[in-house]
Amino acid sequence: MHKDWKKFGALFLIVTLVAVTCSACIGGGGEETTTPAPTTQPPTVANVLPDGMDAQWKTFFESYDFDGDGVLYTYDMYLGRDDAEVDFATMTGGAFRNMTAEISDWDPIDVTDTASDTVVSKLYSGLVQYVPGTTDPMPDLAVAWEANDAGDVFTFYLRQGITFHNGEEFTADDVVFSWERLQNPVYASARISFLTNYVESYRAVSDYVFEVTLKDPFAPFLTLMTYTCFKVLPEDYVSSSEVVGETTEEGVTKNWLYFPVGTGPWKLKEYVSGDHLYLEANLNYWAGRPYLDEFRYKFVEEDDTIVQAWKAGQIDVCGIPSQYWDDFNENYPETLQTVSELATYFMYFNCGAWPFDSLAMRQAVTCGIERASVIDTIYKGRFMPAHGILPPGIFGFSQELYDSYEWTYDPVKAATILDNAGIVDTNDNGIREYQGQELQIELSSYVSTTYQEASKVWIDNLADLGIEMTYQQYDFGTLLQSADEGNYTIMTLGWIADYPDPENFFMLFETANIPDPNSSRYSDTEYDAMCQDLRTNPNTEERLDLSYDLEAKLQYDCPYLWFFHSRATRAIHTWVHGYTAGPMGPHVEKQLGIWLDEDYRTT
């Protein structure tokens, strides 16, 4: 344990997490940001802190401005919006129109796709949420929290007077019930490990106090709490409407699914399977109703249909498919919003099998494949070349390591590495041999026209190096099965942050996580120890140092061939204001602040 396990170490962690996350700003710069000086406080208190709180934690909440609007938290009436600019009289009304894939599930513990999360994150709330457009944690159903000196016990003080959409009162018993559902293997949640890996126990201390004891201190705990699986359902309503089997095979019958009830700012108004879904504003939402009256989703997946609907003014926002990139940049530049995502795309080597059990092979192929030029041409320069696992914008990203990366495209260096390792062509047929076997390998990919085009460049690159590579596409399920079984040589995949902490990326390479999510089968005891330290260490500066060392080690060991960090670009009509899409994606946003010009308020 580090010396900083001392009194209020966990408080120090929370303060620095909230303050430092923004300093690792989009683009990877290291500029420091400061909370704006608070304005004169309004006379009423909006977020009442309990008298029984630890004095220093209470002082923290009383003196912090979570959403940066110049109003200290306890006086912030409209948390997540600028209090000085809230004007319901002139900004309220209308429907925001969108096209998306159909929602696959209403149950927070089962949601793993963005289409479903877009809706579920608006219907339900958890103890903690993101400051809109950022990765900073701020209170939600919990008005405040505190941690013990060791950082392994968290106490959440809950808001009083909150009701679910059906009128039931929200209490700590609903949190316990929701977590028990997640933890119960009969429900077969894909995110059960988010609770069972880290949480030892939890309990309702009283109606409005919820306590969590961790197995070990876990530095990203608060950001983990923002994940969809921790949203809260009403105990009486849901438990009376589902039949829970005794075994996983029997499972659960959920009779409430088409009538979801949460505490979020939006309520379900209408759902027609295969066609559309409408949400309506929750007029009793604790932080003030949304400006919009409705959020409308039309279920469409075809890119061309969505783009044409946007151009016709039938929807308010759309993503930009690659084939329309030049069109939108030339003809609609004033509508474009680009946000860097906390995501990294890569090709990973099977480090546990021939030929990429060899460090020289991994380093040589990494140097032997063009990425930057492929991003500029085939991907139209939309993304940022990756030089490691951490994306810019996340705590721990190092611009220094990014700029000093040694394994960019360099065919001469790649050939030298192989020659020095004795991986040479012994029979003059143009193909090198490793361990007596000719280097003939396959690049496996999910179905993608861009990867298919890129593979042509990479096949030529490796042919020049003396390696024969073929390319094969597979459906996503088959690809993941091959990854789990280790039946591949190089594979294309990506990782999008579950929660905005470097631990969520570095854990991909831990030995204990083979084969999922460590499908590369990279294993190093020194790395494992550093990663565990990163997970439990409350000291921000030491976590930064650990992130630096972990990234530097991955850069050298090359378990992955880093490709790009994605940026999401959307076209948003000029009559739309206040649309937020932070690094975690717009699907996690509650969108309280969207408002429309009066002439475009569809009824």
Side-chain angles (χ1 to χ4, degrees):
M1 294 293 178
H2 285 271
K3 57 183 174 58
D4 289 277
W5 284 121
K6 57 185 179 182
K7 187 163 181 63
F8 307 120
L11 173 60
F12 172 73
L13 171 65
I14 303 309
V15 174
T16 49
L17 273 179
V18 174
V20 175
T21 303
C22 286
S23 69
C25 58
I26 298 302
E31 299 179 5
E32 293 292 330
T33 60
T34 57
T35 303
T39 59
T40 302
Q41 306 304 328
T44 56
V45 176
N47 299 288
V48 179
L49 303 177
D51 294 333
M53 282 189 68
D54 177 273
Q56 292 202 33
W57 278 98
K58 190 171 186 179
T59 298
F60 164 65
F61 280 95
E62 289 174 335
S63 60
Y64 207 83
D65 173 12
F66 282 98
D67 56 8
D69 64 352
V71 178
L72 295 181
Y73 170 59
T74 52
Y75 300 96
D76 202 325
M77 298 294 295
Y78 306 108
L79 190 64
R81 285 179 278 194
D82 187 340
D83 281 33
E85 296 181 358
V86 171
D87 183 359
F88 290 111
T90 60
M91 300 163 75
T92 298
F96 187 82
R97 302 157 303 162
N98 198 1
M99 286 183 173
T100 181
E102 180 159 11
I103 185 172
S104 63
D105 208 301
W106 302 92
D107 191 340
I109 67 172
D110 287 332
V111 168
T112 57
D113 63 289
T114 56
S116 298
D117 203 6
T118 297
V119 175
V120 167
S121 289
K122 293 177 177 61
L123 291 170
Y124 306 102
S125 297
L127 300 175
V128 182
Q129 63 183 318
Y130 293 118
V131 175
T134 78
T135 59
D136 300 338
M138 72 175 183
D140 194 353
L141 291 178
V143 69
W145 56 76
E146 63 188 32
N148 67 345
D149 298 350
D152 60 358
V153 178
F154 279 75
T155 302
F156 293 91
Y157 298 96
L158 308 184
R159 297 183 189 277
Q160 301 185 30
I162 288 182
T163 58
F164 289 95
H165 299 155
N166 64 351
E168 290 187 17
E169 183 185 10
F170 160 71
T171 70
D173 288 338
D174 299 302
V175 185
V176 171
F177 166 75
S178 300
W179 284 37
E180 286 177 343
R181 292 179 78 252
L182 174 60
Q183 186 177 10
N184 187 342
V186 173
Y187 286 87
S189 170
R191 295 292 180 261
I192 186 174
S193 63
F194 280 22
L195 192 153
T196 56
N197 282 0
Y198 309 113
V199 175
E200 180 68 35
S201 63
Y202 49 88
R203 67 187 181 106
V205 177
S206 66
D207 283 349
Y208 300 106
V209 179
F210 178 72
E211 182 184 88
V212 183
T213 300
L214 304 181
K215 293 179 177 179
D216 297 292
F218 183 55
F221 178 65
L222 283 179
T223 53
L224 178 68
M225 289 296 94
T226 64
Y227 199 81
T228 310
C229 63
F230 293 102
K231 306 295 186 189
V232 179
L233 302 173
E235 177 182 14
D236 293 339
Y237 173 78
V238 176
S239 59
S240 65
S241 301
E242 59 184 24
V243 179
V244 183
E246 296 183 0
T247 66
T248 303
E249 290 73 22
E250 293 176 355
V252 182
T253 302
K254 304 174 185 177
N255 300 311
W256 58 274
L257 277 181
Y258 290 138
F259 308 95
V261 169
T263 58
W266 300 91
K267 302 187 295 183
L268 178 64
K269 179 179 182 180
E270 180 176 297
Y271 172 62
V272 177
S273 179
D275 189 74
H276 70 269
L277 183 154
Y278 295 165
L279 303 179
E280 62 181 349
N282 177 7
L283 303 185
N284 297 316
Y285 185 63
W286 66 265
R289 61 155 291 174
Y291 295 132
L292 295 168
D293 289 333
E294 292 185 13
F295 230 98
R296 296 180 180 175
Y297 301 92
K298 179 73 174 175
F299 300 139
V300 176
E301 295 192 50
E302 296 78 17
D303 288 341
D304 290 343
T305 302
I306 296 172
V307 168
Q308 296 310 318
W310 184 90
K311 288 184 176 182
Q314 297 167 355
I315 58 175
D316 297 304
V317 64
C318 76
I320 313 299
S322 294
Q323 65 269 31
Y324 286 97
W325 181 251
D326 293 335
D327 176 15
F328 273 83
N329 276 276
E330 292 172 7
N331 299 309
Y332 308 98
E334 74 282 0
T335 71
L336 300 184
Q337 180 194 83
T338 298
V339 177
S340 292
E341 301 176 309
L342 296 188
T344 304
Y345 290 80
F346 40 74
M347 290 163 275
Y348 57 79
F349 302 113
N350 187 341
C351 302
W354 181 97
F356 292 117
D357 53 355
S358 162
L359 174 62
M361 276 294 301
R362 300 196 301 270
Q363 291 177 338
V365 171
T366 299
C367 289
I369 284 184
E370 289 188 86
R371 281 97 76 199
S373 65
V374 167
I375 293 170
D376 287 341
T377 55
I378 297 172
Y379 289 83
K380 300 184 182 296
R382 302 178 65 175
F383 306 133
M384 176 181 177
H387 294 166
I389 190 61
L390 291 187
I394 198 168
F395 174 81
F397 174 82
S398 168
Q399 191 68 46
E400 177 188 357
L401 281 175
Y402 184 90
D403 293 338
S404 62
Y405 183 60
E406 299 181 19
W407 312 99
T408 53
Y409 179 58
D410 186 340
V412 174
K413 181 176 182 177
T416 301
I417 292 171
L418 293 177
D419 291 343
N420 290 342
I423 303 173
V424 296
D425 176 13
T426 61
N427 58 8
D428 296 325
N429 69 346
I431 303 177
R432 296 174 185 261
E433 297 100 36
Y434 170 60
Q435 294 182 342
Q437 186 175 346
E438 290 187 342
L439 287 172
Q440 296 173 319
I441 60 178
E442 177 187 286
L443 170 62
S444 307
S445 166
Y446 50 83
V447 178
S448 164
T449 56
T450 47
Y451 266 122
Q452 188 170 35
E453 287 301 306
S455 71
K456 298 174 184 177
V457 177
W458 299 332
I459 288 170
D460 290 343
N461 290 159
L462 292 190
D464 293 340
L465 191 58
I467 299 173
E468 184 178 285
M469 185 172 76
T470 58
Y471 174 73
Q472 183 64 47
Q473 293 189 347
Y474 300 91
D475 67 81
F476 201 64
T478 299
L479 196 73
L480 293 181
Q481 182 178 351
S482 296
D484 287 346
E485 295 174 353
N487 297 327
Y488 74 95
T489 308
I490 314 179
M491 181 178 291
T492 66
L493 274 178
W495 187 261
I496 302 172
D498 294 314
Y499 45 91
D501 190 89
E503 186 271 347
N504 187 235
F505 286 85
F506 287 131
M507 61 95 173
L508 297 175
F509 306 92
E510 286 185 284
T511 303
N513 289 331
I514 296 172
D516 182 22
N518 184 1
S519 300
S520 71
R521 290 157 173 80
Y522 173 80
S523 179
D524 185 280
T525 54
E526 179 186 10
Y527 180 94
D528 293 342
M530 287 193 294
C531 197
Q532 178 62 14
D533 196 359
L534 177 76
R535 182 174 290 118
T536 59
N537 196 327
N539 184 285
T540 300
E541 291 302 318
E542 291 183 8
R543 295 191 84 231
L544 283 173
D545 290 342
L546 284 164
S547 295
Y548 185 99
D549 292 341
L550 286 162
E551 187 75 282
K553 185 168 181 55
L554 291 178
Q555 282 187 342
Y556 182 83
D557 288 348
C558 298
Y560 287 12
L561 196 159
W562 318 111
F563 191 13
F564 63 80
H565 303 298
S566 58
R567 299 184 181 108
T569 300
R570 300 169 185 86
I572 305 168
H573 278 298
T574 55
W575 57 74
V576 178
H577 309 276
Y579 181 90
T580 53
M584 293 298 291
H587 59 282
V588 304
E589 303 285 349
K590 294 183 176 180
Q591 303 295 7
L592 299 174
I594 293 181
W595 60 278
L596 309 172
D597 288 342
E598 190 170 2
D599 292 342
Y600 294 90
R601 293 177 187 171
T602 304
T603 57

